Amino acid sequence: MLPLQERVPLKNSLQKLSDVLVLSLLLSLLAYRLISLHRHAHIWLIAFTCESWFTFVWLLYMNAKWTRVAYRTFPQNLSKIYHDLPAVDVFVTTADPTLEPPIITANTVLSLLAVEYPLHKLSCYVSDDAASPITFYSLVESAKFAKHWVPFCKKHNVRVRAPSVYFSTEPQPSQSLSSDFMREWRRIKDEYEELIRRIETANEDQILSRAADGSKEFLKTERRDHPSMVEVIWENKEGSEDGFPHLIYVAREKRPKHSHHYKAGAMNVLTRVSGVMTNAPFMLNVDCDMFANNPEVVLHAMCLLLGVDDEVSSGFAQAPQQFYGALKDDPFGNQLVLLFKQILPGFQGLQGPAYMGTGCFHRRKVIYGSPPGPPSIEKRGNLSCEELEMIYGSSFEFVESALQITSGYGKGSPANLSSRLDAAKNVAACAYELNTSWGREVYGSITEDNLTGLRIHSMGWRSIYMTPEPPAFLGCAPTGGRASLTQFKRCATGLLEMLLSRKSPILAVMEEKLTLRQCLAYLLFLVLPLRSVFELSYALLPAYCLLADSAFLPKASELGFLVTMALFLIYNVYTLTEYFQYGLSIRAWWNNQRMQRIYAQTSWLLGFFSALLKILGFSETIFEVSRKDQPKPTDVTGADDPGQFTFDSSPVFVSGTAVVCSAWVLLSFWPFVKGLVGRGSYGIPWSVIYKAAVPVCFFLQMCRNA
């Protein structure tokens, strides 16, 4: 039988040897601290505590990297094995038309409508959590453009199917470029530029004045107070391969007195709406800025999800988050190249990579809570109507669709979509989930993706890391100080919520089917907010010792000093070598090293306190949407540098502005030093400096009283 995939272990004995060497130096330093503890003040105990934490984190890294595995896929074999490929429902989520401009969403949708897969097997659902008439209008106009764009891509085998990227360069001159192609290329480009103009100049009042295209639903609608809106923008009624897939707009009901649970609630609504309309056995979800970069991406995913002996090994297939148009040398340390090259392939050797919220193909029945193994016909089929309603809610259509999927009979429904609109609006109601159990397990954390992945792994499912060439999806990384730090702060808050909740991986190891090593892999990320406390404490030790006339490092004449210096040098050479291994520069290495220190003492620290206050009942966490494709910052002097740190009055900058410590940390925080004398958006606001002065004065007073 022809293979659909091949599992390839990634062996690296030199990396393992280096890991052990760093670990041995860390343990030697801890041993030296213990032996010498009685001769030193409490400052050595603080140093020992921090270094013990760093050793624990290093062990977590080793656990995650030591079983690295990759998969090769062979999509050309799919058609020879499966004559009828399964249906796939595609979800695109957007929440704010200002921070996430509709033209970005339109490009993502257009790239997905044009992928290489049977068109009648695909349906694209767009969740608009802002209920924006401009977003709806942009999708209506995009559907008109798709009638020309999709056939053009298929006819000429266009490789990059997001028009914004494809038309950003001229076709490479060659003998194969006929005059007919160039005329068609220019015609399609002109139509795309007209699409951009219509979307970017769209006016809400003008849109609402036209009721013919479905915009009448937006009349008298407020962003946080409106009924369910589900509109079929395009239906591929004939199942023709000459058109493009279904396109459905969804704005779930929102009321001021009902919690909408942020993106987790939106994803649950999309699952229910698609369940009653098309009910495909597989689902793909992407953020509004993650366009399909590989036209065979769905075929690659099917190779991973179908080409296994048992379904246990393929609960979901996760593609890495990679970026287009990224700034050179990763100045904000958010491109996460080493995470995707080193850490996540290591997860694959365990139970699989974590779910990262975008670029992920799910089995629908896994999302419904089906455990691994044969279809649970007896378990769900013998439940009473009341019991089924307690799980899935009161919609007969949704209960029926869920039973089809969990019993193994769901193949996707080709029924008339318009006939399902009432049922779809019903399951998109804000009160639909009340008194039901399904879907609510992923609430309680703003990192709903990690919580969903943990829940799936805890049931015994495994996941697969999908790394086709070219990359499956490409998005845009946030730029500027505020956007980057805000994203990491939100992540840190949600991770700590998970760690300290009943849904913690520590409890899942004891009570469910999560393996111990997979638990440790999850902890590598979940302890990020806690790391901030230890990193900040360690960073303040040099300044404290200088002011208090003390020392926390061994003297140059002592053996412990050699251990400390060896650890510092070997660790940095080792990490630098990792960057060289993937073709990255010394500047990229340094940018990531310094940003790790900055994130630890700003974003992660603020996320730690934010989660702690919520757990103690003093506040509620707020989901902050990151700006997509934000413009390059320009200060009052007219300088234009997208790689330079930008500041505003956000509290996320306070702790970084207050840091006073060693020369190494001072170098790491050099953007903040420049911010103290900078102007415009490149300068730290006085309000932040005044707030930062408070902990600085407290620290100085503490040193003085020591």
Side-chain angles (χ1 to χ4, degrees):
M1 184 176 178
L2 293 172
L4 294 179
Q5 58 173 256
E6 179 186 6
R7 189 176 190 270
V8 183
L10 303 175
K11 297 181 180 179
N12 192 335
S13 300
L14 182 60
Q15 172 228 307
K16 292 183 179 180
L17 183 62
S18 301
D19 288 342
V20 172
L21 178 59
V22 172
L23 177 63
S24 64
L25 289 171
L26 284 166
L27 293 175
S28 299
L29 180 58
L30 292 180
Y32 181 82
R33 290 279 190 199
L34 277 177
I35 294 171
S36 310
L37 202 58
H38 66 282
R39 301 199 309 266
H40 297 276
H42 62 280
I43 199 70
W44 272 53
L45 181 60
I46 296 174
F48 173 79
T49 304
C50 294
E51 289 158 358
S52 298
W53 177 263
F54 301 151
T55 304
F56 170 66
V57 171
W58 187 252
L59 284 169
L60 295 181
Y61 271 110
M62 291 175 63
N63 169 71
K65 292 194 297 183
W66 273 37
T67 50
R68 296 173 63 238
V69 172
Y71 277 88
R72 296 195 186 106
T73 50
F74 308 101
Q76 67 273 15
N77 294 338
L78 265 174
S79 60
K80 302 172 184 176
I81 301 173
Y82 294 94
H83 300 294
D84 187 25
L85 289 171
V88 179
D89 287 338
V90 181
F91 303 155
V92 179
T93 52
T94 182
D96 190 312
T98 302
L99 298 176
E100 300 172 334
I103 190 61
I104 294 180
T105 304
N107 269 280
T108 295
V109 169
L110 287 166
S111 72
L112 293 165
L113 295 177
V115 296
E116 290 295 329
Y117 203 73
L119 299 182
H120 64 287
K121 294 288 186 176
L122 288 175
S123 304
C124 183
Y125 295 82
V126 180
S127 169
D128 176 19
D129 249 15
S132 167
I134 294 180
T135 299
F136 175 78
Y137 170 77
S138 72
L139 294 174
V140 172
E141 295 301 309
S142 297
K144 297 174 184 176
F145 176 70
K147 295 177 183 178
H148 308 285
W149 172 246
V150 175
F152 174 79
C153 291
K154 301 294 179 71
K155 177 181 177 181
H156 299 288
N157 193 27
V158 172
R159 301 307 297 167
V160 179
R161 301 192 176 179
S164 61
V165 181
Y166 178 70
F167 290 120
S168 63
T169 58
E170 294 284 329
Q172 294 297 320
S174 69
Q175 294 180 350
S176 61
L177 294 180
S178 65
S179 58
D180 289 341
F181 167 79
M182 290 306 300
R183 278 196 298 271
E184 189 174 3
W185 184 89
R186 292 190 184 95
R187 177 178 63 84
I188 300 295
K189 183 180 181 181
D190 289 342
E191 291 181 1
Y192 176 64
E193 290 174 347
E194 176 62 20
L195 172 67
I196 296 176
R197 187 195 65 78
R198 290 199 301 270
I199 291 176
E200 292 185 344
T201 60
N203 180 281
E204 280 197 20
D205 294 334
Q206 294 176 350
I207 293 172
L208 294 176
S209 67
R210 299 192 299 267
D213 59 3
S215 58
K216 62 181 180 181
E217 294 282 344
F218 294 93
L219 294 172
K220 299 181 181 179
T221 293
E222 296 182 12
R223 179 173 177 175
R224 294 178 177 82
D225 189 5
H226 61 81
S228 306
M229 291 182 283
V230 181
E231 293 286 341
V232 179
I233 294 176
W234 170 259
E235 182 175 1
N236 190 357
K237 294 182 179 179
E238 298 81 17
S240 170
E241 288 300 306
D242 296 328
F244 58 93
H246 303 314
L247 179 58
I248 301 101
Y249 172 89
V250 179
R252 56 184 170 138
E253 181 185 17
K254 284 190 177 180
R255 301 299 179 192
K257 295 183 179 180
H258 285 268
S259 174
H260 57 81
H261 301 290
Y262 309 109
K263 187 178 177 181
M267 290 297 297
N268 278 343
V269 167
L270 283 174
T271 303
R272 294 196 298 268
V273 168
S274 64
V276 301
M277 296 188 79
T278 49
N279 204 32
F282 294 98
M283 304 180 296
L284 161 67
N285 81 282
V286 294
D287 287 343
C288 65
D289 66 321
M290 298 291 291
F291 68 84
N293 180 64
N294 188 320
E296 288 88 23
V297 58
V298 184
L299 297 174
H300 284 287
M302 290 303 109
C303 287
L304 295 173
L305 295 169
L306 301 176
V308 290
D309 295 332
D310 57 14
E311 293 183 349
V312 176
S313 299
S314 59
F316 61 86
Q318 174 68 63
Q321 293 186 40
Q322 294 175 270
F323 308 101
Y324 72 95
L327 297 176
K328 184 181 178 182
D329 297 328
D330 192 11
F332 301 105
N334 52 19
Q335 296 172 25
L336 308 177
V337 175
L338 252 62
L339 169 67
F340 301 130
K341 298 289 188 180
Q342 287 275 31
I343 305 300
L344 292 185
F347 276 47
Q348 184 132 271
L350 308 175
Q351 276 185 267
Y355 170 40
M356 296 186 293
T358 182
C360 190
F361 290 83
H362 286 281
R363 291 185 185 275
R364 186 183 287 268
K365 71 176 186 179
V366 177
I367 296 297
Y368 288 169
S370 292
S376 50
I377 301 175
E378 299 82 5
K379 181 178 178 182
R380 299 289 171 98
N382 293 333
L383 294 176
S384 67
C385 293
E386 290 77 12
E387 290 172 318
L388 288 171
E389 188 172 320
M390 288 286 290
I391 299 173
Y392 299 115
S394 58
S395 168
F396 170 78
E397 293 86 353
F398 181 57
V399 171
E400 184 180 41
S401 71
L403 288 177
Q404 289 177 2
I405 290 294
T406 55
S407 62
Y409 295 119
K411 303 297 181 183
S413 173
N416 187 325
L417 297 186
S418 299
S419 66
R420 306 293 183 94
L421 285 177
D422 289 340
K425 292 178 181 179
N426 177 33
V427 296
C430 60
Y432 183 84
E433 292 177 342
L434 296 179
N435 302 319
T436 66
S437 60
W438 174 80
R440 301 182 64 83
E441 298 92 339
V442 296
Y443 296 155
S445 170
I446 56 176
T447 51
E448 80 298 322
D449 47 0
N450 285 274
L451 201 54
T452 301
L454 174 60
R455 173 173 165 265
I456 292 171
H457 286 136
S458 298
M459 290 191 292
W461 290 96
R462 301 173 66 87
S463 56
I464 297 183
Y465 193 41
M466 183 174 68
T467 54
E469 192 59 41
F473 304 96
L474 291 180
C476 53
T479 58
R482 171 67 190 273
S484 300
L485 268 64
T486 296
Q487 187 177 65
F488 278 86
K489 178 255 180 183
R490 182 181 69 218
C491 181
T493 302
L495 292 175
L496 189 59
E497 289 172 346
M498 282 180 60
L499 181 64
L500 302 180
S501 72
R502 283 288 305 167
K503 300 163 186 175
S504 167
I506 298 173
L507 296 178
V509 167
M510 298 184 288
E511 300 172 359
E512 301 182 60
K513 298 179 181 179
L514 191 72
T515 65
L516 177 59
R517 288 195 62 193
Q518 186 73 14
C519 169
L520 295 176
Y522 270 106
L523 288 180
L524 177 60
F525 299 115
L526 296 185
V527 300
L528 284 178
L530 298 179
R531 285 173 62 179
S532 65
V533 177
F534 293 96
E535 289 214 23
L536 179 61
S537 300
Y538 206 71
L540 290 174
L541 286 179
Y544 176 85
C545 291
L546 182 65
L547 295 169
D549 193 21
S550 180
F552 82 103
L553 290 176
K555 295 179 180 178
S557 59
E558 298 176 350
L559 179 62
F561 181 79
L562 295 178
V563 174
T564 305
M565 287 302 299
L567 179 60
F568 178 81
L569 293 174
I570 290 175
Y571 171 78
N572 283 289
V573 170
Y574 171 45
T575 55
L576 179 60
T577 304
E578 285 186 314
Y579 278 79
F580 287 163
Q581 180 182 348
Y582 298 110
L584 302 173
S585 65
I586 294 179
R587 185 62 178 264
W589 167 81
W590 170 244
N591 286 339
N592 277 265
Q593 293 299 306
R594 68 177 176 83
M595 287 306 301
Q596 285 293 305
R597 306 289 73 78
I598 289 175
Y599 288 136
Q601 295 166 45
T602 56
S603 303
W604 300 351
L605 187 65
L606 197 60
F608 169 79
F609 286 114
S610 177
L612 200 61
L613 289 173
K614 179 187 175 183
I615 292 168
L616 295 175
F618 293 115
S619 71
E620 286 294 326
T621 53
I622 299 174
F623 188 93
E624 298 174 89
V625 179
S626 299
R627 177 175 290 278
K628 306 298 191 301
D629 196 28
Q630 77 173 18
K632 296 178 181 180
T634 303
D635 70 3
V636 295
T637 64
D640 191 9
D641 182 5
Q644 188 171 339
F645 224 90
T646 54
F647 300 89
D648 62 14
S649 57
S650 170
V652 77
F653 294 110
V654 172
S655 57
T657 304
V659 170
V660 282
C661 39
S662 67
W664 181 255
V665 180
L666 186 65
L667 284 174
S668 298
F669 275 80
W670 194 248
F672 281 72
V673 177
K674 291 172 65 177
L676 290 172
V677 295
R679 300 173 63 190
S681 61
Y682 294 134
I684 299 176
W686 280 104
S687 60
V688 172
I689 296 175
Y690 293 146
K691 293 173 184 174
V694 176
V696 169
C697 293
F698 176 77
F699 176 75
L700 292 173
Q701 184 65 29
M702 182 182 68
C703 296
R704 188 172 142 191
N705 295 335

